Amino acid sequence: MFWLTRGPAGRVGQAGVPTVCWPIMAMFLVELSKRVGRAVYRKPASIPVIFREGLAMRLAVMLIHKLGLQAGGMTLSMLRRANMLAEQGWDARVVTTEPNALYASVDRHYRSIGRLREGARIQNLWDYLRDCNTPDDVVIPPLPEPPEGSYAAPTRADGRGKRFFMPHLNVYKEYWEWREDDSLSYRDIFDDAHVRIRRLVYDERSTLWREISYDAYGNKIRQDRFLTVDGYCYLTRWITIQEQQVTTALYFDRNSGSVHEFRSQTELEVWALNKLAKEGDRAPLFIGDGIGGIRTLPQVFENDAVRVMQIHSNHFSGPRDQGGELRKDHADVFRRANEVDRVVLLTEEQRSDVVAEFGNADRYAVIPHVEDARPVSGIERDPHRVVSATRFAPEKRLDLLVDAFAKVVRRVPKAHLVLVGDGPERAALASRVTSHSLEEHVTFEPWSSRVDVEYAASAVSVLTSSFEGYALSIGESLVQGTPVVAFDVKYGPRQQLADGGGVLVPFGDVSKLAAAITTLLENPRLQRETAERGRANVFEQRSSDRVYARWVSLVESVMADRAGCDG
């Protein structure tokens, strides 16, 4: 029997909660599997708990809404921090809040390319709740079968999409789509009027993960349900049609027989994060890497959690300088700084600007991103190769780099520019290359997980962003002994290259940008000396030991503040 308990807001309900028989069914199926030899699903083993002086491993959670397979600067910085903490004995998790069934494959992807190391992991919050309600041994349900007797009509050339029509009347009832690995992605269910009424979402094992119910027009979500491998519904959400906001969420705890009710998605996430905070040592570290973390982190109190908001980028939306218009989501974090334990910025200059605007100096700390790259060997450096590895987006101003390179090749005819990446500006950049007749001097290459090789093979790297928070590409380039030419913008390049490692150029000055690139290409000795100074600074300021010590100092200062208040 299930009992309804209070959620964070104190709502209580008792009527109309049905008796749930799934636990009994699951026990029956497990026993049946033992007798008839059916396959049994075993929950993926979590990272082993390490005990130190009788206490469990300390937990570190880096909170973000979603992660993709192509890692940008924020993703890389989070993975590097997770690796750093894991190496020091922490249970380090990058936790996503997006309802997506495929984060186990995202974890494997980053491991396969060396971005995620032993002891660190990517964990989806929904999968965490799913695992909490999945017994150690449950029967894997059989793969779903198409409607009996139905006709299948392929909709894609690769055969990964099919429509199913009911026999005789030939009414369109279901659409199925498979992933490239042949696992079932989802099924759409239609009524007789060809209106979608449900979508069944499957995980990479083709087991049902989420069931979505739609409105009368088949476009807006009305309700969704989240299920364990054996089909137990551990969570359901009721959603408004127009605003698509969660009004009620019900969590069915399979272990205790209780039901928790929440009034919003935020309440649900707060409760789940507090549940997570109870794992491991006292004072787990929660870092809001996604700017939306300010919605939930102030309410995470369990186990004396240390709550930190991390700022990854420039906080101005207009001119990227003091006095410009503030980005609303960042301003909200600064106004609510007293609601978390610390707000971490990447440079002293940004901290100074924020404190000047918002005060509360004791709430702000400066910790740069850790640099874990190592010099690669066996790569021959091309003395005429210039590289820029970035997203092809308007704020990256690669158009100005192409303009500057037209001037460079007049002085250095063998110069060759390699643009590594992709993005919405790809076509416009290609057109600009053509307009300058640079087809033989500019090459586009897709994004590579081995960007270190790209830097090691180049004489110079260039960063032309109109703003930055802290450019990981600068450190990656310098570690490979490649000097950097960058626009002098807040906040990263200005501080990262202040003590050597490259040349700062006034923003937008194409002539000076071209001159800086040309000077380095024409002076190999200057290249080496400039890069060596920068590499020494990177290893001095951003080594794993140095950055870890700053995070430990932050946690200790928070605990000291709390002890002082208690005293």
Side-chain angles (χ1 to χ4, degrees):
M1 189 71 179
F2 276 64
W3 301 95
L4 194 64
T5 59
R6 294 179 184 269
R11 294 182 73 189
V12 178
Q14 296 174 341
V17 180
T19 301
V20 180
C21 61
W22 270 111
I24 298 174
M25 179 64 72
M27 293 171 60
F28 169 76
L29 291 173
V30 169
E31 183 61 33
L32 179 64
S33 71
K34 295 176 181 177
R35 297 190 181 192
V36 302
R38 285 277 306 280
V40 174
Y41 167 77
R42 284 178 171 77
K43 241 187 334 186
S46 60
I47 290 178
V49 177
I50 297 175
F51 290 85
R52 304 189 311 276
E53 299 178 359
L55 294 176
M57 177 189 296
R58 178 171 281 182
L59 174 68
V61 170
M62 285 139 277
L63 195 63
I64 189 78
H65 179 58
K66 63 181 179 180
L67 290 179
L69 296 179
Q70 191 176 84
M74 182 186 295
T75 299
L76 287 178
S77 65
M78 294 172 67
L79 296 179
R80 289 177 179 180
R81 189 199 303 126
N83 292 333
M84 174 191 72
L85 292 171
E87 288 169 0
Q88 297 290 340
W90 292 62
D91 177 0
R93 311 181 193 182
V94 175
V95 174
T96 60
T97 59
E98 175 194 25
N100 187 313
L102 298 179
Y103 273 105
S105 62
V106 175
D107 182 286
R108 284 198 306 275
H109 166 73
Y110 284 116
R111 291 188 192 283
S112 70
I113 62 175
R115 295 292 190 183
L116 194 62
R117 300 173 188 162
E118 184 178 358
R121 58 173 152 163
I122 295 171
Q123 182 178 48
N124 181 250
L125 195 61
W126 306 86
D127 283 335
Y128 166 69
L129 296 177
R130 191 186 201 211
D131 285 346
C132 287
N133 288 277
T134 301
D136 290 335
D137 295 316
V138 294
V139 176
I140 299 177
L143 295 176
E145 296 286 342
E148 184 176 357
S150 61
Y151 297 107
T155 62
R156 292 174 42 163
D158 59 8
R160 300 194 186 282
K162 289 184 180 180
R163 294 191 181 103
F164 291 94
F165 296 83
M166 298 306 293
H168 305 300
L169 296 177
N170 294 328
V171 176
Y172 179 31
K173 295 301 291 184
E174 295 194 21
Y175 173 77
W176 292 29
E177 188 160 304
W178 289 263
R179 304 182 185 96
E180 291 185 1
D181 64 358
D182 293 329
S183 64
L184 182 59
S185 178
Y186 66 87
R187 296 165 57 193
D188 280 340
I189 315 297
F190 297 87
D191 65 14
D192 289 348
H194 188 200
V195 174
R196 181 177 59 175
I197 56 177
R198 281 192 301 158
R199 169 169 286 188
L200 306 179
V201 180
Y202 293 83
D203 65 14
E204 59 185 7
R205 298 180 298 268
S206 297
T207 62
L208 186 57
W209 194 84
R210 182 187 183 193
E211 179 182 285
I212 303 171
S213 299
Y214 293 96
D215 68 349
Y217 299 97
N219 297 319
K220 299 291 186 68
I221 299 175
R222 296 183 59 187
Q223 173 181 296
D224 58 3
R225 302 167 65 240
F226 295 84
L227 303 105
T228 62
V229 171
D230 58 331
Y232 172 79
C233 176
Y234 63 90
L235 178 68
T236 186
R237 301 185 302 173
W238 302 340
I239 301 169
T240 60
I241 298 296
Q242 294 300 323
E243 298 83 7
Q244 289 291 277
Q245 297 294 316
V246 174
T247 58
T248 300
L250 297 164
Y251 175 78
F252 303 91
D253 191 318
R254 192 174 194 171
N255 302 300
S256 68
S258 61
V259 180
H260 301 267
E261 182 177 358
F262 311 96
R263 294 178 178 176
S264 67
Q265 180 64 28
T266 298
E267 278 191 12
L268 170 61
E269 290 181 15
V270 166
W271 177 84
L273 292 173
N274 274 301
K275 178 179 176 65
L276 185 59
K278 296 176 184 178
E279 300 188 6
D281 278 1
R282 174 174 169 261
L285 175 61
F286 279 71
I287 303 172
D289 282 292
I291 203 72
I294 195 65
R295 294 185 302 107
T296 55
L297 287 191
Q299 302 172 69
V300 178
F301 295 111
E302 289 289 348
N303 208 9
D304 292 328
V306 174
R307 297 85 41 83
V308 176
M309 283 299 299
Q310 171 77 65
I311 302 300
H312 283 270
S313 63
N314 191 306
H315 57 278
F316 294 108
S317 61
R320 306 288 173 160
D321 211 334
Q322 190 70 356
E325 183 179 352
L326 292 168
R327 296 167 69 173
K328 292 181 179 179
D329 52 0
H330 285 61
D332 187 41
V333 172
F334 301 144
R335 293 189 183 101
R336 300 178 63 182
N338 282 332
E339 298 179 33
V340 292
D341 296 300
R342 293 291 185 275
V343 176
V344 170
L345 301 158
L346 296 167
T347 66
E348 291 290 350
E349 185 180 20
Q350 187 172 22
R351 179 183 181 277
S352 177
D353 285 350
V354 171
V355 170
E357 181 86 16
F358 293 94
N360 290 325
D362 60 335
R363 287 286 164 170
Y364 297 97
V366 175
I367 304 178
H369 290 319
V370 63
E371 181 55 71
D372 63 357
R374 293 293 177 265
V376 296
S377 59
I379 304 297
E380 183 177 355
R381 193 181 302 275
D382 184 339
H384 304 106
R385 190 178 196 262
V386 178
V387 66
S388 183
T390 188
R391 189 164 45 91
F392 298 169
E395 66 270 17
K396 299 303 182 181
R397 297 313 308 264
L398 292 172
D399 56 328
L400 298 182
L401 175 54
V402 173
D403 292 347
F405 211 72
K407 297 177 180 293
V408 171
V409 296
R410 294 174 196 160
R411 288 277 303 273
V412 187
K414 292 184 178 181
H416 193 89
L417 173 63
V418 180
L419 299 176
V420 181
D422 202 356
E425 294 292 293
R426 173 67 167 77
L429 289 170
S431 177
R432 205 172 193 91
V433 167
T434 301
S435 68
H436 283 295
S437 301
L438 290 173
E439 293 90 341
E440 295 184 2
H441 294 276
V442 179
T443 300
F444 290 89
E445 292 186 2
W447 188 256
S448 169
S449 62
R450 292 303 309 272
V451 70
D452 53 350
V453 173
E454 298 289 347
Y455 290 124
S458 302
V460 179
S461 74
V462 185
L463 179 67
T464 51
S465 301
S466 56
F467 63 92
E468 286 286 346
Y470 203 90
L472 294 182
S473 62
I474 290 179
E476 291 169 334
S477 179
L478 294 176
V479 167
Q480 304 310 325
T482 305
V484 182
V485 176
F487 282 142
D488 183 11
V489 296
K490 290 188 174 184
Y491 283 98
R494 183 174 298 173
Q495 181 161 327
Q496 290 171 270
L497 296 176
D499 297 322
V503 182
L504 289 170
V505 175
F507 175 74
D509 194 325
V510 171
S511 294
K512 290 186 177 180
L513 179 63
I517 296 171
T518 301
T519 298
L520 287 171
L521 288 177
E522 292 179 334
N523 294 272
R525 181 177 176 179
L526 179 61
Q527 287 178 30
R528 292 191 298 272
E529 292 175 349
T530 302
E532 283 304 318
R533 285 197 300 272
R535 177 154 55 185
N537 290 333
V538 169
F539 289 145
E540 170 66 21
Q541 299 171 13
R542 296 174 54 197
S543 68
S544 179
D545 289 345
R546 179 65 63 89
V547 174
Y548 178 69
R550 295 177 78 159
W551 277 104
V552 169
S553 177
L554 180 148
V555 172
E556 290 176 344
S557 70
V558 170
M559 301 309 291
D561 289 349
R562 292 177 180 177
C565 291
D566 293 342

